[in-house]
Amino acid sequence: MPLHFKLPGHLSIDKLLLELEKQTVIELVSQHFALKTFYDSFDWRLYRKNLICEYDQSRLLSTLFIKEADSDKIVQSVQADQVPSFADDFIQAELRELLRPLLDMRALMQITTLDYTHYQLHIHNSDAKTVLKMTLEHYDPIQSRVILDPVKGYDKALKRMSKLLSNLGLMPTQEPVLVDALKTQGRKPKDYSSKLNIKLASDMRADIAVKYIYSHLLKTLKLNEQGVIADFDSEFLHDFRVAVRRTRTGLTQLKQVLPVAQTKRFSRYFSWLGQITSEPRDLDIYLLHFDTFKNYLPDAMKADLDPLYNFLVQKKRAVHAGLSDKLKSIDYYAPLIEWEDFIRSAAIKKPDETQALLPVKALADQRIWVIYKKVIKQACAIKEDARPSELHELRKTCKKLRYLMEFFQSLYPETTLKILIRSLKEFQEILGTYQDLEIQQQTLKELGKEMYSQTDSPQTLLAMGALIEALEKQKVETRSAFDGRFNEFNQADNRTIFETLFKCGAA
């Protein structure tokens, strides 16, 4: 396995080579200028799996490497003129199959780029045989690197050079170059996640804690904003909408904590953000699940659905352009700036709101217990003939419960709360799938009307009709799983945990 060293700041590449030439027979094989660009998804899906995507470009050759982050071991490498955005766009089948499950719908994006000078050297013994290969990578903004690549049968040469480099002040390292490059930007790997990780103290004033939660959500919203506008991939809009929904849940469920006027005003604003992002997200889901939709149909009908895909792509392009315009407008920016100013403003010493001065733990107990009881009541009222709207209302209440538990999770035993959240998520999946199928059926009917005058393919409309029927079957199957999932969520152990964690504090 290659050994990596960092050059100390006082030792230049020229000085290092002079020192090495005094004690070894060294041959400079090549020297060239190059660019090293690192890629990953916005949420670091490769790095989280211990992988780094590195694209090295020189005048003669450009190579894409997938390496293990902790060892620099090359997992795959291909010569490539460019780096595609999505896993499915890679020509090389092995690379495509490696990246597809890791990236899923996320795009590869440039993380950072370094220019450097690459030196390839061979170390010879007294018989003029190459006993060790050495690579020097000279960077300006970060510490340069030396990489020793052993030659089979010449382990002593590797040990001797390692000792020589250590004597010259070079430090062994396993830290990827990417980490050093990000430090120059004040960043580090995995510095974005859509998951909430908010640390609260149980005795914090409720109004201060709630503003702190909103500031985290605002950060997520702003981090995804440009990705939504540019439409790099569908998950920017997904994460943007989740931040909006979470904020709306806080504003509607944590009442009498912040001033009523601002709460109402910003509730309307975030409701508007939810509305303008709804149709683009629905179209994203359609396109993401299109292959699944085709698989619902008989083989003979699958190709008939292709014109619908093209129609959806064009429609999404137009709808997204409208959304981008809205997110660049003063209607979006001005209230967002005012929201940021509001949640960063100092707490009022003697607020009028009755819940503002509560310890946040008491507020959390109270609100989670109330919403939990509402979930159980609504779920118990669901009968065989329940309307889709009743299931949708239950789904919305479940979301509120989950968001509240995520807001305040640092106030409760981590493992216990995770069990509850996981159980709730599994119950939500049934409700979410059912609602998605319901919306997809309705949308297909609307799309059919729009396409009727634009398509000369009656087979496509027939295929869409068959798809609506197939979705109905999926709905029936999903609905039949409701009782089982609810019983799992509402099992005695979970009820006991909910009561233990939240009921006493809410009394």
Side-chain angles (χ1 to χ4, degrees):
M1 180 182 295
L3 299 180
H4 294 244
F5 296 81
K6 285 185 183 180
L7 262 71
H10 66 271
L11 187 62
S12 68
I13 291 289
D14 289 341
K15 284 183 180 178
L16 173 66
L17 291 175
L18 283 173
E19 292 297 328
L20 294 179
E21 284 172 352
K22 291 176 185 176
Q23 303 185 51
T24 62
V25 180
I26 189 166
E27 175 195 5
L28 177 61
V29 178
S30 66
Q31 175 183 344
H32 60 265
F33 176 79
L35 283 175
K36 191 188 294 287
T37 304
F38 295 97
Y39 287 80
D40 208 324
S41 65
F42 188 65
D43 55 359
W44 296 95
R45 294 190 178 195
L46 297 185
Y47 199 87
R48 291 180 196 281
K49 295 295 183 184
N50 191 39
L51 294 175
I52 289 178
C53 178
E54 177 185 313
Y55 186 45
D56 288 356
Q57 295 171 278
S58 67
R59 187 169 59 86
L60 299 176
L61 193 65
S62 295
T63 308
L64 181 76
F65 296 96
I66 304 295
K67 298 180 177 179
E68 291 181 354
D70 60 358
S71 68
D72 207 45
K73 178 183 174 184
I74 296 173
V75 178
Q76 285 197 26
S77 66
V78 294
Q79 293 183 20
D81 295 332
Q82 58 183 353
V83 180
S85 293
F86 294 96
D88 282 345
D89 296 334
F90 279 89
I91 299 171
Q92 301 81 3
E94 287 187 358
L95 196 53
R96 193 167 60 238
E97 295 307 315
L98 170 69
L99 295 177
R100 183 184 285 152
L102 297 172
L103 293 172
D104 200 1
M105 72 290 283
R106 293 238 67 156
L108 277 176
M109 302 180 67
Q110 284 190 22
I111 303 297
T112 189
T113 297
L114 289 168
D115 56 61
Y116 67 105
T117 304
H118 180 279
Y119 301 79
Q120 188 62 54
L121 304 114
H122 286 176
I123 311 299
H124 299 300
N125 62 9
S126 56
D127 297 328
K129 290 184 176 177
T130 299
V131 295
L132 182 66
K133 295 178 180 177
M134 176 186 287
T135 301
L136 304 183
E137 293 181 349
H138 172 59
Y139 303 98
D140 278 330
I142 64 172
Q143 286 178 277
S144 297
R145 301 278 181 134
V146 175
I147 303 157
L148 301 182
D149 195 1
V151 174
K152 189 175 181 181
Y154 294 98
D155 293 346
K156 289 183 180 177
L158 176 66
K159 291 179 181 176
R160 181 170 177 269
M161 181 57 72
S162 298
K163 185 176 181 182
L164 181 56
L165 294 178
S166 296
N167 291 340
L168 291 171
L170 279 77
M171 296 294 294
T173 183
Q174 292 295 321
E175 196 169 62
V177 172
L178 170 63
V179 174
D180 279 356
L182 289 174
K183 285 177 182 173
T184 65
Q185 304 169 13
R187 295 186 60 193
K188 58 183 179 181
K190 302 189 288 184
D191 57 4
Y192 173 78
S193 170
S194 61
K195 294 181 180 176
L196 283 182
N197 184 20
I198 302 171
K199 302 298 182 188
L200 300 172
S202 58
D203 59 350
M204 282 178 81
R205 277 177 48 165
D207 55 352
I208 294 174
V210 165
K211 282 188 173 182
Y212 188 58
I213 293 168
Y214 291 149
S215 69
H216 276 261
L217 298 174
L218 177 61
K219 181 181 177 184
T220 300
L221 188 146
K222 292 172 73 173
L223 283 172
N224 284 283
E225 180 186 86
Q226 292 307 310
V228 175
I229 291 171
D231 196 21
F232 292 125
D233 64 45
S234 60
E235 293 310 282
F236 285 98
L237 180 57
H238 173 266
D239 288 1
F240 183 93
R241 277 176 56 79
V242 171
V244 167
R245 280 205 305 267
R246 284 172 166 159
T247 306
R248 288 178 65 193
T249 295
L251 288 168
T252 57
Q253 299 305 310
L254 303 173
K255 294 176 180 175
Q256 285 297 316
V257 176
L258 299 179
V260 174
Q262 282 90 339
T263 299
K264 285 185 177 177
R265 180 184 168 211
F266 289 116
S267 288
R268 288 194 295 271
Y269 171 66
F270 282 99
S271 176
W272 174 71
L273 284 182
Q275 290 168 14
I276 65 172
T277 54
S278 177
E279 187 178 10
R281 178 59 187 165
D282 287 345
L283 291 168
D284 277 345
I285 292 173
Y286 253 105
L287 292 168
L288 288 170
H289 294 173
F290 201 80
D291 286 341
T292 304
F293 291 154
K294 288 181 76 170
N295 288 332
Y296 287 153
L297 299 179
D299 288 344
M301 294 186 83
K302 287 178 180 175
D304 295 339
L305 214 54
D306 289 343
L308 173 61
Y309 184 87
N310 298 331
F311 184 81
L312 287 169
V313 169
Q314 291 176 10
K315 187 174 180 66
K316 187 215 157 164
R317 201 169 289 150
V319 169
H320 184 269
L323 175 61
S324 295
D325 289 343
K326 289 184 176 75
L327 295 183
K328 295 173 187 172
S329 73
I330 195 168
D331 291 340
Y332 169 72
Y333 270 111
L336 197 67
I337 292 169
E338 291 172 18
W339 171 245
E340 186 166 10
D341 289 343
F342 171 63
I343 60 178
R344 287 185 175 179
S345 62
I348 301 169
K349 286 186 179 178
K350 295 181 180 178
D352 294 330
E353 290 68 32
T354 55
Q355 309 273 37
L357 296 179
L358 271 183
V360 66
K361 175 69 164 50
L363 176 74
D365 288 349
Q366 183 189 104
R367 294 310 304 163
I368 291 172
W369 181 245
V370 167
I371 300 300
Y372 165 69
K373 287 193 298 180
K374 189 174 180 180
V375 166
I376 300 301
K377 184 178 179 181
Q378 287 182 341
C380 288
I382 297 293
K383 306 299 179 190
E384 283 295 323
D385 58 349
R387 298 186 301 277
S389 59
E390 294 176 76
L391 290 161
H392 183 46
E393 284 304 311
L394 173 59
R395 181 196 185 200
K396 290 197 293 185
T397 309
C398 286
K399 274 187 179 178
K400 291 170 186 171
L401 176 60
R402 181 173 155 193
Y403 291 160
L404 290 174
M405 291 167 70
E406 289 173 344
F407 289 167
F408 301 117
Q409 56 190 310
S410 65
L411 302 174
Y412 301 95
E414 182 179 354
T415 304
T416 309
L417 202 70
K418 278 185 177 176
I419 291 171
L420 289 185
I421 291 175
R422 185 167 58 245
S423 181
L424 177 60
K425 284 172 69 175
E426 289 170 358
F427 180 40
Q428 277 185 276
E429 281 178 10
I430 284 289
L431 298 167
T433 302
Y434 185 85
Q435 177 63 16
D436 287 347
L437 291 166
E438 173 74 13
I439 295 294
Q440 285 156 6
Q441 281 182 309
Q442 294 174 11
T443 307
L444 270 176
K445 292 172 185 173
E446 295 300 319
L447 290 171
K449 292 175 186 174
E450 290 182 49
M451 291 182 67
Y452 182 75
S453 58
Q454 300 179 30
T455 181
D456 54 0
S457 171
Q459 290 85 356
T460 297
L461 298 177
L462 289 172
M464 291 169 67
L467 180 55
I468 291 172
E469 291 181 15
L471 293 176
E472 183 62 28
K473 290 180 182 175
Q474 295 295 317
K475 269 177 62 182
V476 171
E477 289 179 14
T478 304
R479 177 66 180 83
S480 67
F482 174 84
D483 288 343
R485 287 292 179 91
F486 174 57
N487 290 337
E488 287 175 19
F489 173 66
N490 195 35
Q491 61 181 286
D493 287 349
N494 284 355
R495 291 201 302 272
T496 301
I497 296 173
F498 267 104
E499 287 192 13
T500 304
L501 290 184
F502 309 113
K503 186 178 180 181
C504 294

